[in-house]
Amino acid sequence: MSDLVSVENLTIDFTTNFGDVHALRGVSFSLKAGEVLGIVGESGSGKTVACRAILKLIAGNALVKSGRIMFEGSDVLAMKDAELGRLRGGQAAMIFQNPSTHLDPIMTVGRQVGEAMVVHQGISWRQANARAVGLLEDMHIKDASRRAGAYPHELSGGMRQRVMIAAALACEPKLLIADEPTTALDVTVQAQILDLLRGIRRERKLSVILVSHDLGVIAEMCDRVVVMKDGAVLEIGSVDQILRDPAHEYTKRLIASQPSLMKPTTHACPVATEPHLLVKNLCVNFYPGQSLAAWATRKPPQIVRAVDNVSLALRRGGALGIVGESGSGKSTIARAIAGLVQPQQGEIEVDGQSLDRALRQRRPEQVRKLQMVFQDPFMSLNPAFTVARTLAEPLRQQNICPERDIPERIRELMEKVELPRQLLDRRTTQLSGGQRQRVGIARALALEPEILIADEVTSALDVTIQAQVLGLFARLRRELSLTLILISHDLGVVRYLCEHVAVMQHGKLVEYGDTEDVLDRPQQAYTQELIAAIPKLSRRTSSGIQPGDTPLLAAGSKC
Amino acid sequence: MDRRVFLKSAAFAGFSIATLPATLLRANADGSKILRMAYGAEVLTLDPIKTTYGADILIQGMMYARLLHANADRTEVGPGLAESWDIADDGKTYTFHLREAKFSDGSPITAEDVAFSWNRMRFQKDSAYAAPFQPLTKVEAKDARTVVMTLDRKFTPFLTLTEIWNTGIVPKAAVEKMGDDAFAKAPVTSGPFKFVELKPGDRVVLGRNEHYYRQGEPKIDGVEFRYVPDDNTRVSMLQAGELDVCLAVPAPRMAELKAAGFRADPEPSSTTYDMLINHSAEPFNDLKFRQAVSYGIDRTAINAAVTLGLGTPASSIMSPTLDFFDKSLPVIARDVEKAKALLAESGKTGASFELIQNAGSADEEKAAVLIQAQLAEVGITVNIAKIDSTQAWTRLADGEYQAEMNWWYNETRDPDNALRWCVWGAGDNKSYYTRYNNETVDKLIDEASGEADNAKRAELYAQIQKTVVDEVAQVALYHPTWLNAYAPSVKGLVLNVGLQFSSIGGTSLD
Amino acid sequence: MNRFSFVLRRPIQLIPVLLGISVITFLLLQMTPGDPVRLMLGPKASQEAIEFVRARYGLDQPIPVQYFYYVLNCLRGDFGQSIAFRGPVSGVIAARIAPTVFLILYGLVISLLLTFALAVTAARQRGRWIDHLIRLVCVAGVGVPSYFVGLLLIMGFCLRLKIFPVSGYGPTFINNLWHLFLPALTIGIGVTPILARNLRATFIQQLDKDYAIACRSRGLPESYIFSRHVFWNSLLPTVNLLGVVVAFLIGGTVVVENVFNIPGLGNLLIRGVLTHDQFVVQAVALLLAVGVVISNFAVDVLTAILDPRVEL
Amino acid sequence: MSDVMRGSGSLAMARIRTMPATLAIGGAITLAWIVVAILAPVLTSFDPIKVDVMQALKPPGAEHWFGTDAIGRDVLARTLFAARYDLAMAFFGVVGPIILGTTIGLIAGYLGGRIDAVLMRILEVTVSFPYFVLVIAIVAVLGPGLKSYFISLTLVNWVSYARLVRSQALVLRGVDFVLAARGMGFGHLRIMLFHILPNAIVPSIVFVMTDAVLAIVLGSSLGFLGLGVQPPTPEWGAMIADGQTYLTTAWWIAIFPGIAICLLALGLSLTADGLARLLNTES
């Protein structure tokens, strides 16, 4: 088999206001016809630039320093507009990570699927529409002829991704480049889309380049895999070979950082009798803004039950994971407990003492006891503050210690979260995602809480950083004997940190129990579905690598 | 709805509208001779008794015939609707004999209509300008063609008052039928023109009154009287051929218009531009201070700067165009030393006063700034306050001011009316709100109005003029001229000293 | 629920706005020193006549009573009497609506044409000298006062070239296109820089959006992507800005109407404020407020037509 | 890419290097006008209010570079001194609105609920009012002058800032770091001042310069209509109004102040443009 695409020694720089950035440094790889090639790497690794370059979809400030890209023998980078027009869509097509931004929001999806056919093949809009409906049916979209008239916002995320695939396939390309096609989707939807991709690949004899940060996805889908880091290719090989016997240190670390492969840290938990935190019959309703017209016509107010009669109990020092897909209400529970959302019903007790549902009514020491760490490291810190100020503020406001002790306290906090003191004078915007998340943890710890609520704290982080932060959690929990509530969509993360797990769907508690029981022997259909949807990695890795054993994780897994 | 089709057609429509060739759109004149004139104030009412406003006065003068008719420059007043008149020996009874004439609707003008119009003007409560007619006590129709008016004293100027615009004759039947408000919007007229259209804030259109009593007049088909507040826009419109007459041209633009072939010569006016001062308040309650101010001001320089020499510096409070103007009075020459001495005598060294100026009036601002600069050299500080005219008038009338830039004109050439307006302390308006009150002057004014002998009257008026100048009743600055410009095609049109186009009937338009 | 159901809600939202405006205008005018009747009758009017007329217009009543009767009369469709024009306000206003509406719409059409021409050119020639030039002109144009533009236009087109009339408002539609061209152009020049700048920026921003990249990946030509996708997506922010601009314009026509002597509402309003013509000011302010609300409403409708996502 | 930006020391350097040209030029022009305003007495030997009727209407020449006006005042001197007044209008026309508007926007956006509803009704009323007319009406109440201008602009123009800040505050109050601050039990005032305000004010800062341009145009329009500065103080709008009569015979009276306004406005607009670019690249 000959190479369909070959990328040879490609070097691309971006000129920015802050100087040149080396996006790709001498990248070479090739794709054989009919093959599925995976490109894996963390953010900034250059994987997206590399695959976009194949269609010459590079930004205006990109500068090709060297190298070429051959597509069936012709140099893509040397192509003129007309040739590019034939290549893109006609020969090779691309689908992207976020289907909601990559579709034109104000054009019906049928038209978007059909327009390439009109432009490239010169057929009429009517014919194009008919074909688009057919394509949408091929993508397993039910009621396709009606859906074709819908706008993207009227469709679910998974459906939008199907539309984008249909649009890409409209002109029957040979190559499909899929750039993180499932990252923005819930795990069950991800499984469906991956299924679909497998199907169309088989039926249409497509060659595929699949870019992902998720080794699990790569492992399930690909024949060969390219591992990239900092704009360079570290190694290329068959999936089995890379997973079983990675040559490069980084690849090993990448594999070891996969939560599903990490050894649970929950085995040595202390046992207490009285529940530390008790949540009884919690209900949180949202009232989407009621219109005057509705009020005038005496329509009953619309209620969205974000949390529906949920009860939980947690022992001192215990760790509870709450899992669920987006919209399941898991974050709302966390916020309701922390007092940031006021529930309509239910009791929250800490050490047998009832907490007021309104944060303002809680006593200062009650507020202190319960602290939260937030999801998005780019949103959870005040960008106007320095690190020192971020940490000093709670100490000062809640009178944790005398004013003169504050600098010392701040240094201790920095040590606790393993950050160098030099960062104290930095603006929070000058930190990396992982550093920010540690500052966020330090800020929560400043108030010396007993219960820590961690809301998707690692989902925005790269997997190796995630592993480090998870390790930190595990250590802090043990050292400070914290009671932990961990909200996550990732069952691996929960398994790593928590001995109890609650599975949520549509605001209701679906399953609740010991982590091992629930995850290994799920009783409920939804839980089973959830677990089945996770791309499996473990079965293809060798026992040669000891998860949790790499130097980087050592700090985080003392127990 | 397909939004693209919608938007595209909207865009196309907009585009085609905006690109229609402008030359195709010019309106064609239909050949009728309409005199187009514009003024800086707008016409507010067409009822002659309800206003004292320049724009109203101008337009109403062309709409309503009066008992007497003035010639073009108002040097003489002759027969109008009244063919002749008798004055009783005691000077208290005037009998007017009417000619045969019709209103614009073809109904006859009777003595009944005249009596009605005059009684309305004199006695109706909201008649704005009954003041000059105080001696008049009774107006009645003796028969269909005879009107008798009775005065309570001998009053020589009376005959000249019968030409003032607000004595215009209105049809009794129409006014009573329509009511005041409706009549004021669509009146039946007695003068050279009939009413055609009133667009408030924009224009009044008049048409030829076929029933006008002066045979062969008017010679033109109508008048379009437009309101164009901005002086320069008005001039531009004349230059661009959109107007035939531009009223109130800014002085600096007269030469330019004349050079461009327009008839742009200053026309005599009865106007006096002055600084009104409040005699009842500090610091102008002091004669020495008033004199210091008067000597400190350079009237010649102000006249030169504001009218560019088209007016004359004031020597008297009265305009030189009025009868019995005292030519022997000199223009007060600026004398800083004398002013300083007077100021020291007044004991008000370092005094300051606020000078109110109407916002938007360039001439007033110029004069005010000059006064400010000139008095600064004397040692008097002037603070200029630009305020809108409503406030300015209210403060003036309420006496809550120190000094204000102002001007006034006189409807007649007889000075009685003028002096009663501006220095007669017994009057309703307290000497034009200056609160100047000299009983001797009041007495002299009454005496002069009852005197039939012109030589004696001249003497009395000279005495009055000297007194009020010496006492600085108001600080007269200069006497401007009417500055109007006429297109070359306009023949025979003159604005007379009393702000009337008495010559409109004989005006032609080539 | 229907996306367009806001059409029904709008009139209800108008009520508090109108009440607020009437109270503010009422108070403002009461606080302004000066007597409207004196100005109405002219400088030589007698005190007696003034008192009589004041009583006739009810100006001798206490302020709350005046306001109460005002609101009551409004509800009956009587907007009061104009002191200066000695007649019902409705008549005075009716004569002035057309010029202002015409002027604003005309000005908008001109500015939209200019805006699209400039913004499309700049966006398509992005980064070239013409783009820089357009951008500079737009930046510079924001600060040119419209009265100055008006003066220069009159000098050039009316006096030197004699192509357009200096002023006025003609009797026919065609006539008005000609009469109001310069005033409308003045308005257009005033508004275009803001709109064009915004639209150009949006075009360029949208050209880099994910969906545009996705279109490129499907081999659609640049011109097609621009005309079918980017253009329509870019209209939304500009349409919203247009709403603000129109509201601004409605007040801003005052200056233009003054310079070009157009017998419109803006002119009337300023005159009313300065002569204390209470009911005229009240009514014009309310009317203009309704105009602002209508323009916002039009923007909402347009947004809803353009953007299927909008729920109002 | 973003890692590069975090290189610590070079950040300040990078910022200078990346300062948009428009900011540099606009800043220079604006600064130049400020210098002119301060040094006006040094830059010209003429007194801007000194009347000399004999010297009236002199065209630009060796002695009077910009000529003289109708009462013989030096146009150059008046144009230079007028910069003081017009700059003051730009400054004060913005300061009041930004303080009032930010406060209201912050309270409405952060607290929401009924307070927000009431404040937004007030905003709606203000917005529905023809902007220019409201300013004129308030000036008519207070009398012309810088003080009335300042008050009226504050009362009218706060809405722009209130809207900008409110929309930011609405977003920010749901953002994690604000939730974190609430979760740590901080008071509303503290959260508003230290957590919301510094982050919500950026669009306002960008808008300030544009708004200053509008303030100058508005202020000079008032001067043009005769409702601005009291004579004889020089102000550009009033000077243009003065010169309008002489446009065909003595063009210099109106044209030079006209150019002056456009130049200052250009300086401020360019600064605004540059500032917007700078702050946008940062975020």
Side-chain angles (χ1 to χ4, degrees), chain C residues 55-75:
Chain C
R56 209 183 122 195
Y57 285 102
L59 297 176
D60 49 354
Q61 303 278 329
I63 293 165
V65 175
Q66 285 188 43
Y67 182 74
F68 175 75
Y69 279 111
Y70 170 67
V71 174
L72 209 67
N73 286 333
C74 278
L75 293 177

Side-chain angles (χ1 to χ4, degrees), chain A residues 225-236:
Chain A
V225 62
V226 178
V227 182
M228 289 187 69
K229 185 175 191 300
D230 296 336
V233 172
L234 293 185
E235 55 183 312
I236 303 180

Side-chain angles (χ1 to χ4, degrees), chain B residues 28-208:
Chain B
N28 288 322
D30 60 357
S32 61
K33 293 195 167 157
I34 305 288
L35 184 73
R36 300 161 302 167
M37 55 170 78
Y39 191 53
E42 74 190 284
V43 173
L44 297 174
T45 180
L46 297 174
D47 185 343
I49 72 158
K50 298 282 179 63
T51 182
T52 59
Y53 255 122
D56 297 341
I57 291 169
L58 271 168
I59 194 83
Q60 288 167 8
M62 295 186 268
M63 296 170 70
Y64 302 104
R66 279 87 78 188
L67 288 175
L68 267 61
H69 186 81
N71 64 349
D73 53 3
R74 212 184 193 291
T75 45
E76 277 173 43
V77 182
L81 278 175
E83 263 175 331
S84 61
W85 53 91
D86 310 312
I87 307 171
D89 290 342
D90 64 355
K92 291 185 181 173
T93 308
Y94 286 71
T95 309
F96 294 92
H97 306 286
L98 304 184
R99 72 176 76 226
E100 215 166 299
K102 285 175 178 168
F103 285 109
S104 59
D105 62 356
S107 59
I109 301 176
T110 65
E112 203 53 46
D113 293 309
V114 173
F116 171 76
S117 304
W118 273 75
N119 278 316
R120 232 177 137 243
M121 182 277 294
R122 174 65 184 87
F123 300 111
Q124 189 164 311
K125 271 201 170 154
D126 53 356
S127 172
Y129 194 47
F133 301 88
Q134 292 306 318
L136 178 68
T137 52
K138 202 162 94 184
V139 183
E140 48 187 357
K142 202 169 144 200
D143 59 45
R145 306 281 281 278
T146 312
V147 179
V148 178
M149 302 196 190
T150 311
L151 278 59
D152 63 356
R153 68 188 99 129
K154 192 173 176 187
F155 189 65
T156 313
F158 183 70
L159 216 47
T160 65
L161 296 181
T162 59
E163 193 271 336
I164 295 183
W165 93 94
N166 68 343
T167 66
I169 306 305
V170 295
K172 183 182 181 196
V175 174
E176 284 182 345
K177 188 177 156 213
M178 297 166 78
D180 276 19
D181 286 343
F183 183 79
K185 290 199 168 53
V188 176
T189 69
S190 52
F193 296 99
K194 65 177 178 190
F195 171 79
V196 174
E197 189 187 15
L198 166 68
K199 278 192 188 164
D202 183 29
R203 67 188 73 189
V204 179
V205 182
L206 301 180
R208 204 182 137 85

Side-chain angles (χ1 to χ4, degrees), chain D:
Chain D
M1 264 207 297
S2 51
D3 283 320
V4 177
M5 294 189 211
R6 295 194 187 102
S8 56
S10 64
L11 200 74
M13 276 303 296
R15 198 168 291 174
I16 290 168
R17 240 188 305 132
T18 58
M19 184 159 86
T22 45
L23 183 58
I25 299 169
I29 295 175
T30 311
L31 210 66
W33 272 117
I34 294 171
V35 170
V36 163
I38 295 169
L39 295 184
V42 183
L43 294 172
T44 173
S45 54
F46 287 100
D47 181 343
I49 59 168
K50 168 84 173 128
V51 174
D52 184 355
V53 180
M54 303 314 289
Q55 289 292 314
L57 300 173
K58 291 269 182 287
E63 198 189 352
H64 298 284
W65 293 357
F66 284 9
T68 61
D69 72 2
I71 47 177
R73 295 175 295 196
D74 183 62
V75 174
L76 174 62
R78 286 180 73 70
T79 307
L80 297 183
F81 274 90
R84 295 181 167 190
Y85 194 87
D86 284 78
L87 276 172
M89 288 199 308
F91 181 74
F92 287 114
V94 164
V95 166
I98 203 173
I99 293 173
L100 184 63
T102 303
T103 312
I104 290 178
L106 200 58
I107 292 171
Y110 176 70
L111 294 181
R114 270 191 212 133
I115 295 174
D116 183 38
V118 170
L119 290 174
M120 285 307 105
R121 281 295 97 75
I122 295 174
L123 184 139
E124 235 171 78
V125 170
T126 317
V127 167
S128 303
F129 229 115
Y131 179 77
F132 196 72
V133 173
L134 192 50
V135 170
I136 286 181
I138 297 173
V139 170
V141 172
L142 301 171
L146 189 58
K147 200 177 75 187
S148 326
Y149 168 78
F150 172 62
I151 295 172
S152 64
L153 226 63
T154 304
L155 291 178
V156 174
N157 202 19
W158 60 272
V159 290
S160 315
Y161 298 97
R163 271 182 170 168
L164 282 173
V165 172
R166 176 177 174 270
S167 66
Q168 294 286 310
L170 270 180
V171 174
L172 285 170
R173 73 169 178 173
V175 161
D176 288 351
F177 69 83
V178 173
L179 290 178
R182 281 178 56 205
M184 289 186 287
F186 299 166
H188 285 321
L189 192 63
R190 172 161 205 91
I191 294 178
M192 277 197 269
L193 284 184
F194 296 104
H195 294 270
I196 308 261
L197 184 61
N199 298 298
I201 198 112
V202 174
S204 299
I205 290 172
V206 173
F207 182 67
V208 158
M209 290 291 157
T210 311
D211 199 35
V213 176
L214 297 179
I216 285 184
V217 172
L218 184 76
S220 70
S221 299
L222 284 180
F224 181 78
L225 294 176
L227 295 170
V229 53
Q230 299 300 299
T233 316
E235 190 277 322
W236 292 329
M239 288 174 73
I240 293 173
D242 284 348
Q244 203 191 348
T245 311
Y246 303 90
L247 213 51
T248 46
T249 51
W251 53 267
W252 55 89
I253 305 178
I255 297 295
F256 286 119
I259 293 172
I261 286 193
C262 295
L263 265 181
L264 175 56
L266 176 68
L268 289 169
S269 306
L270 286 174
T271 311
D273 184 80
L275 213 56
R277 284 161 171 264
L278 188 71
L279 291 173
N280 283 343
T281 42
E282 224 194 357
S283 65

Side-chain angles (χ1 to χ4, degrees), chain B residues 404-481:
Chain B
E404 179 177 322
M405 301 303 300
N406 210 304
W407 64 277
W408 54 278
Y409 83 102
N410 202 40
E411 293 83 7
T412 64
R413 288 179 67 99
D414 192 286
D416 180 69
N417 191 15
L419 293 176
R420 284 186 198 275
W421 173 247
C422 73
V423 289
W424 193 40
D428 186 38
N429 71 349
K430 305 182 183 75
S431 300
Y432 200 3
Y433 308 114
T434 57
R435 277 76 180 162
Y436 171 73
N437 195 358
N438 182 331
E439 284 175 23
T440 318
V441 169
D442 291 358
K443 227 172 274 165
L444 286 170
I445 291 173
D446 281 340
E447 196 181 326
S449 70
E451 179 58 61
D453 181 1
N454 279 350
K456 282 187 187 159
R457 284 189 83 192
E459 215 169 278
L460 291 167
Y461 284 124
Q463 204 182 332
I464 296 169
Q465 289 176 65
K466 181 162 182 355
T467 310
V468 297
V469 170
D470 285 348
E471 295 190 347
V472 200
Q474 48 179 261
V475 186
L477 298 170
Y478 61 92
H479 305 294
T481 38

Side-chain angles (χ1 to χ4, degrees), chain A residues 14 16-21 44 61 335 338-341 359-360 367 370-372 374-376 378-385 389-390 393-394 397-398 426 429-433 435-436 443-444 447, chain D residues 1-11 13-15 17-19 110 171-172 174-191 193-199 277 281-282:
Chain A
F14 287 126
T16 72
N17 288 336
F18 301 92
D20 284 2
V21 178
N61 61 343
R335 290 183 182 197
L340 296 173
V341 167
L359 184 65
R360 301 253 138 224
V367 171
L370 254 165
Q371 283 302 311
M372 212 169 151
F374 293 86
Q375 169 178 4
D376 187 343
F378 292 89
M379 295 297 226
S380 60
L381 300 179
N382 187 340
F385 279 14
R389 195 170 167 200
T390 304
E393 191 186 32
Q397 290 308 308
Q398 295 287 358
R426 293 268 183 94
T429 46
Q430 290 169 263
L431 304 180
S432 69
Q435 286 170 331
R436 286 182 205 213
R443 177 180 58 187
L447 294 183
Chain D
M1 264 207 297
S2 51
D3 283 320
V4 177
M5 294 189 211
R6 295 194 187 102
S8 56
S10 64
L11 200 74
M13 276 303 296
R15 198 168 291 174
R17 240 188 305 132
T18 58
M19 184 159 86
Y110 176 70
V171 174
L172 285 170
V175 161
D176 288 351
F177 69 83
V178 173
L179 290 178
R182 281 178 56 205
M184 289 186 287
F186 299 166
H188 285 321
L189 192 63
R190 172 161 205 91
I191 294 178
L193 284 184
F194 296 104
H195 294 270
I196 308 261
L197 184 61
N199 298 298
R277 284 161 171 264
T281 42
E282 224 194 357

